[in-house]
Amino acid sequence: MAFCTETLPEVYGWKPRCPLPATERTVVLYLSHLSMEGLVKERSLNAYLSAINQAHEDVRLPRPALGHGLRLTRSGLRDVEGEELDDVDDCSVRAPVPAAVIMAILQLGLTTQHPDTLRKCACIVLNYCWYNRADTGVQLKRAHLSFDWHGITINVKGKTVARNAACPVTRLARTPYDPRQLVLSLLRRWHEMSAAWQHPDSFYWTLSGEAADLHPKPAAIVGTWLNDLLSLVDIAPPAGEKWSAHSLRSGGASASLAIGVALFFIMKYGIWRSLAAVQRYLSHLVVACPAAYVFFGWMLPPPPPSRHGSASPAAASSPHARASASRTR
């Protein structure tokens, strides 16, 4: 409505147009304006078009954000964006963060003496290990975490969880693939350090002296911290890929699938409501690696005992058995 009644006459010198009902031409003008202002990308237009169509449908008017003209407009916007990306050599697609990259960040967190770097490492590893969205990760409060013999439990608060409902998600403290308990060690290190200035209701990623008890940090900070840490560990995405905060969620889920974790287990652990929803986050090009077993091997069932109470020959050759034998030696 603001575009039709204010922006058109004030910015472009055109006559105001009727926003409801709107015509297909009006919608094309609106999308062109958004593109020129750099406010939205072509791949993000569906939410705008759906809102316009729904507003018309609610009052039983024809939906204007449809038709051949809209399809041509979107195709043109894709070409324009592609030319701009070619100019800056930044045409890339979001991809899952590999487990080996998160392992390098974890190792940095275990050795750094800087509280800010430790905080960033703990945040990135926690979001990866629990498949968190960025907005879920920043809402975490100190009281939401529990450490005990069972493992680490987070009472998740996020947009897919009702505000009046508890949603505890536990990472079990199984040791065959992670005998040194690296994830536990990192999170305990941050938990014990931050105890000096945090109280139970503090947002978990608050540093000493930060006034962030009333509001969480913006979700975009997770992506910023990830990029900061990538610079510190001297790792960059391959050509054509980019890693964002959302890549942590897809990276953790894809690494779990790669080592053989059941799809239903992944769905429930990541609080996806359906298999169709979780499948959009999974990449079948992610392959198993030692770091993936460290982070998600606890999800795998133990090898079945043989008839005589020892592992079967097949189980003895599994990564689980080899890790146990190595630990025994």
Side-chain angles (χ1 to χ4, degrees):
M1 291 179 66
F3 168 77
C4 290
T5 60
E6 300 172 12
T7 304
L8 279 176
E10 295 175 6
V11 177
Y12 297 99
W14 288 28
K15 292 181 179 180
R17 300 181 71 90
C18 180
L20 192 72
T23 64
E24 182 181 358
R25 178 180 173 83
T26 300
V27 177
V28 169
L29 290 173
Y30 177 54
L31 298 186
S32 300
H33 165 71
L34 294 177
S35 177
M36 290 175 64
E37 293 294 310
L39 300 176
V40 66
K41 299 296 184 183
E42 183 277 331
R43 59 182 176 272
S44 304
L45 290 178
N46 286 341
Y48 292 82
L49 301 179
S50 296
I52 294 171
N53 284 333
Q54 190 63 52
H56 284 70
E57 195 169 34
D58 286 346
V59 292
R60 300 185 177 182
L61 291 171
R63 295 179 294 172
L66 297 171
H68 186 59
L70 265 296
R71 288 192 291 272
L72 290 177
T73 299
R74 297 194 65 164
S75 178
L77 293 179
R78 282 195 294 268
D79 290 342
V80 170
E81 290 175 15
E83 292 174 358
E84 293 173 349
L85 290 173
D86 288 340
D87 290 340
V88 297
D89 195 25
D90 189 31
C91 187
S92 54
V93 63
R94 186 175 65 202
V97 179
V101 174
I102 304 300
M103 178 58 70
I105 291 174
L106 186 152
Q107 298 287 359
L108 172 64
L110 291 175
T111 57
T112 183
Q113 300 302 315
H114 300 284
D116 183 45
T117 301
L118 173 57
R119 167 179 65 170
K120 293 174 181 178
C121 292
C123 176
I124 294 304
V125 170
L126 184 145
N127 282 348
Y128 181 80
C129 288
W130 271 264
Y131 312 157
N132 276 348
R133 295 180 176 87
D135 54 356
T136 298
V138 295
Q139 293 186 59
L140 190 66
K141 292 188 175 183
R142 188 174 186 86
H144 295 162
L145 272 80
S146 302
F147 295 84
D148 55 29
W149 64 270
H150 196 53
I152 310 172
T153 299
I154 296 178
N155 186 17
V156 176
K157 303 293 182 183
K159 64 182 181 181
T160 58
V161 179
R163 296 184 65 181
N164 62 343
C167 185
V169 178
T170 300
R171 183 183 189 274
L172 298 180
R174 293 182 181 171
T175 59
Y177 298 105
D178 185 16
R180 293 185 293 161
Q181 289 291 287
L182 296 176
V183 175
L184 176 64
S185 298
L186 174 65
L187 295 182
R188 274 200 178 279
R189 190 173 187 225
W190 167 249
H191 196 77
E192 292 169 1
M193 176 183 290
S194 59
W197 59 82
Q198 291 183 0
H199 53 78
D201 205 40
S202 297
F203 285 101
Y204 199 51
W205 309 120
T206 305
L207 275 179
S208 177
E210 290 183 348
D213 287 340
L214 297 179
H215 302 285
K217 294 185 179 298
I221 199 70
V222 177
T224 301
W225 287 354
L226 174 61
N227 287 322
D228 292 344
L229 295 175
L230 290 174
S231 297
L232 291 177
V233 298
D234 196 23
I235 297 176
E241 290 188 7
K242 62 180 177 182
W243 297 332
S244 67
H246 224 55
S247 300
L248 299 173
R249 183 163 165 82
S250 60
S254 298
S256 302
L257 184 70
I259 65 172
V261 177
L263 185 56
F264 188 74
F265 195 168
I266 296 173
M267 184 190 91
K268 289 299 183 182
Y269 184 73
I271 320 176
W272 280 284
R273 295 180 180 272
S274 66
L275 288 174
V278 69
Q279 285 175 330
R280 292 197 293 268
Y281 287 81
L282 298 174
S283 171
H284 293 274
L285 297 178
V286 173
V287 298
C289 68
Y293 282 96
V294 171
F295 290 121
F296 304 109
W298 66 270
M299 291 181 167
L300 298 173
S306 69
R307 185 176 304 174
H308 301 290
S310 59
S312 63
S317 63
S318 68
H320 179 99
R322 289 197 298 271
S324 298
S326 177
R327 188 173 65 258
T328 301
R329 290 196 295 270

